[in-house]
Amino acid sequence: KFMTLEDKIKQTMTDVENTSSEEILEIITQIVPHFRSELTSDYLQGKIQKIRNESDESEKKKQCLTLIPYFEWYLQGL
C-alpha cells in the first residue's frame, strides 16, 4: 500500500528507535520544501548534508533524532 508522507512520518515517530538514519533523512528531505522560511530550509539542508557525511551510524542516528521536532511541526501544518 502506498504510504503518504504523513503516514511515513507517523510511523517513524512511533518507532523512531528502529528507524534507520537514512529513512529519517529521506523523510526530512521531503519535508524541507514545505517550510515557508528559507532559513529553516537552508538550516535543514545543511543538517542533512552534515549527517550524511557522518560515518558513524550511532552518531548519525543521534543527529537524526534532533530533527524529529520538524516531523511534528510538519504534521501540525507547519
Side-chain angles (χ1 to χ4, degrees), residues 61-74:
K61 186 63 184 267
K62 209 162 67 182
Q63 295 280 322
C64 279
L65 294 179
T66 67
L67 300 175
I68 298 301
Y70 291 96
F71 285 18
E72 294 167 18
W73 206 9
Y74 178 82

Side-chain angles (χ1 to χ4, degrees), residues 30 36 45 53:
Q30 290 177 47
R36 290 186 200 92
Q45 280 169 333
N53 292 339

